């Protein structure tokens, strides 16, 4: 039952009953419903933005998001491990492999460079975890680019290694006559006395004294360019083009075991000692050329002589005696 309200009338000195107006009553009712609506609406907004009331689907989606965040965290740790391994490979690549094969190191900024130009991550923007997703995607792209650069570098190193192997096999690096077949090292590279004129002249090779018919071996891989008697003074001689600017010459042979344009390997039997051409006695006259210039052959015997044998040869090669041709 509603309460009856009164007011005091000073004119009549009595209490009079308050009669509520219908308009005020309607206004109060309207205010009540408006307040109830606003309160309910705000309450609903608060409930929807909190975890107090969630549908099963929302809870499932929240668990999936949490699981994805955890997977991204694991992925970040794996990428860190990959980055460390790549950094180690890149360090060895620049400071060992490329250094050994005389190739320029790959600059750090080239290995770590990102991707300029158009925003390739625009489709990943606008999500709750966009920053994390874009950061992870960028790291993956950079790792992929590093691996491509490193793969190309290793391909280059492989080619350089193959060339280096060919170069080492081609350099005339052994003595053309075996030590057990060698009577003596008669004369070395330098100024010597001519056996015929007795005048002092430049001797452009080394003379190895051996009996006629002693085997002569190719000092490096290459191609026979000449095996003939058409060069003045050398008699029957052989020339081998080793590539890389190297050429070796074998003079005063008694006979050949190869022919022109034939491929030979280091250690192959190519001919036999003789005394043809301008020669005083059976011996092998041996020369090494580099870039069309004759150089001292004694610097190229590291493939067949011990340190003691090389020291003895050096001792005889430096004596200013009489050459045999």
């Amino acid at each position: 039952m509603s309460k009856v309200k009164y007011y005091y009338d000073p004119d009549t000195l009595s209490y009079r009953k308050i009669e509520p107006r219908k308009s005020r009553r309607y206004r109060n009712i309207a205010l009540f419903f408006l307040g109830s609506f606003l309160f309910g609406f705000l309450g609903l907004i608060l409930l929807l933005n909190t975890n107090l009331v969630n549908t099963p689907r929302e809870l499932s989606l929240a668990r999936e998001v949490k699981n994805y965040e955890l997977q991204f965290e694991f992925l970040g740790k794996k990428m860190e491990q990959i980055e460390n391994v790549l950094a180690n490979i890149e360090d060895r690549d620049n400071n060992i492999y490329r250094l050994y094969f005389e190739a320029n190191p790959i600059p750090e900024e080239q290995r770590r460079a990102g991707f300029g130009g158009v925003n390739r991550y625009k489709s990943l923007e606008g999500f709750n975890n966009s920053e994390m997703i874009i950061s992870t995607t960028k790291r993956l792209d950079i790792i992929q680019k590093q691996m491509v650069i490193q793969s190309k570098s290793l391909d280059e190193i492989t080619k350089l290694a193959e060339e280096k192997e060919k170069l080492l096999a081609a350099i005339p690096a052994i003595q053309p006559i075996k030590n057990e077949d060698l009577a003596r090292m008669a004369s070395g590279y330098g100024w010597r006395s001519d056996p015929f004129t007795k005048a002092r002249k430049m001797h452009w090779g080394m003379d190895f004294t051996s009996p006629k018919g002693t085997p002569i071996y190719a000092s490096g891989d290459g191609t026979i360019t000449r095996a003939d008697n058409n060069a003045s003074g050398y008699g029957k001689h052989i020339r081998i083009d080793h590539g890389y600017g190297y050429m070796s010459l074998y003079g005063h042979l008694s006979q050949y075991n190869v022919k022109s344009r034939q491929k030979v390997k280091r250690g192959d039997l190519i001919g036999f000692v003789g005394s043809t051409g301008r020669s005083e006695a059976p011996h092998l006259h041996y020369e090494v050329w580099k870039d069309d210039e004759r150089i001292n052959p004694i610097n190229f015997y590291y493939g067949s002589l011990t340190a003691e044998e090389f020291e003895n040869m050096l001792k005889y090669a430096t004596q200013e005696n009489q050459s045999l041709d």
Side-chain angles (χ1 to χ4, degrees):
M1 183 177 180
S2 62
K3 292 181 180 181
V4 179
K5 295 182 180 179
Y6 297 88
Y7 74 96
Y8 178 74
D9 188 350
D11 294 334
T12 62
L13 301 175
S14 62
Y15 288 96
R16 288 183 180 274
K17 186 179 180 180
I18 299 175
E19 297 292 340
R21 297 176 182 176
K22 289 184 177 181
S23 61
R24 181 176 291 179
R25 181 181 294 176
Y26 293 146
R27 185 187 65 184
N28 290 340
I29 292 172
L31 288 174
F32 172 77
F33 281 111
L34 179 61
S36 299
F37 174 76
L38 290 175
F39 180 78
F41 180 74
L42 291 174
L44 181 62
I45 294 292
L46 290 172
L47 287 174
L48 292 175
N49 285 277
T50 62
N51 293 325
L52 296 177
V53 179
N54 278 329
T55 65
R57 176 166 176 75
E58 288 173 334
L59 292 173
S60 175
L61 290 174
R63 283 195 297 269
E64 285 187 25
V65 170
K66 194 68 178 175
N67 182 53
Y68 285 137
E69 290 176 351
L70 186 62
Q71 292 299 325
F72 267 95
E73 184 179 345
F74 288 152
L75 180 60
K77 291 180 180 179
K78 289 181 180 179
M79 285 193 296
E80 185 177 352
Q81 293 174 346
I82 293 172
E83 287 167 343
N84 291 335
V85 171
L86 264 176
N88 180 265
I89 295 174
E90 289 167 352
D91 179 66
R92 284 184 290 163
D93 184 43
N94 273 351
N95 299 311
I96 298 178
Y97 309 142
R98 301 185 71 82
L99 186 65
Y100 177 77
F101 292 108
E102 300 176 354
N104 292 326
I106 299 175
E108 188 72 10
E109 56 271 18
Q110 182 179 340
R111 292 184 183 271
R112 300 286 182 271
F115 300 87
V118 65
N119 181 7
R120 59 193 291 129
Y121 309 108
K122 190 172 182 61
S123 61
L124 303 177
E125 295 175 351
F127 301 99
N128 291 337
N129 297 306
S130 287
E131 185 177 346
M132 178 181 66
I133 296 172
I134 291 174
S135 174
T136 303
T137 306
K138 281 182 179 179
R139 285 180 71 185
L140 281 171
D141 285 343
I142 291 174
I143 288 173
Q144 184 180 22
K145 184 175 182 180
Q146 287 177 251
M147 293 178 70
V148 170
I149 292 173
Q150 186 57 53
S151 177
K152 289 181 179 179
S153 177
L154 291 176
D155 288 342
E156 182 184 355
I157 293 298
T158 301
K159 291 180 181 178
L160 290 172
E162 291 173 354
E163 285 300 311
K164 192 84 170 182
E165 186 177 3
K166 291 178 183 177
L167 169 62
L168 293 176
I171 292 176
I174 65 170
Q175 188 173 283
I177 293 180
K178 293 181 179 180
N179 270 340
E180 55 265 30
D181 297 331
L182 185 64
R184 65 188 179 96
M185 213 291 294
S187 181
Y189 178 95
W191 291 96
R192 299 291 183 267
S193 174
D194 185 282
F196 300 102
T197 65
K198 307 303 179 183
R200 192 168 178 265
K201 61 178 285 189
M202 184 65 185
H203 187 242
W204 294 106
M206 299 184 72
D207 291 343
F208 295 93
T209 302
S210 289
K212 182 179 179 180
T214 299
I216 299 169
Y217 303 95
S219 56
D221 295 3
T223 303
I224 306 295
T225 57
R226 292 184 66 172
D228 57 49
N229 192 21
N230 298 328
S232 175
Y234 290 118
K236 290 183 179 180
H237 77 292
I238 293 171
R239 302 187 192 197
I240 301 177
D241 181 3
H242 301 281
Y244 307 96
Y246 288 98
M247 189 271 289
S248 57
L249 183 149
Y250 312 77
H252 311 304
L253 278 59
S254 59
Q255 63 184 89
Y256 313 110
N257 196 52
V258 291
K259 55 186 178 181
S260 182
R261 289 182 288 195
Q262 180 179 332
K263 301 283 187 183
V264 293
K265 294 287 186 181
R266 178 182 293 150
D268 284 354
L269 177 64
I270 58 173
F272 301 92
V273 171
S275 188
T276 58
R278 193 174 186 273
S279 172
E280 188 180 54
H283 74 285
L284 169 68
H285 175 81
Y286 176 66
E287 294 181 7
V288 173
W289 295 57
K290 178 69 169 73
D291 298 327
D292 297 324
E293 297 287 337
R294 287 177 282 194
I295 56 179
N296 195 340
I298 202 168
N299 298 316
F300 293 86
Y301 297 138
Y302 57 83
S304 60
L305 300 180
T306 65
E308 183 179 356
E309 289 170 339
F310 182 79
E311 187 177 349
N312 289 332
M313 175 174 285
L314 185 63
K315 175 182 176 182
Y316 289 111
T318 53
Q319 293 178 355
E320 281 204 31
N321 54 6
Q322 177 178 289
S323 66
L324 294 178
D325 45 36

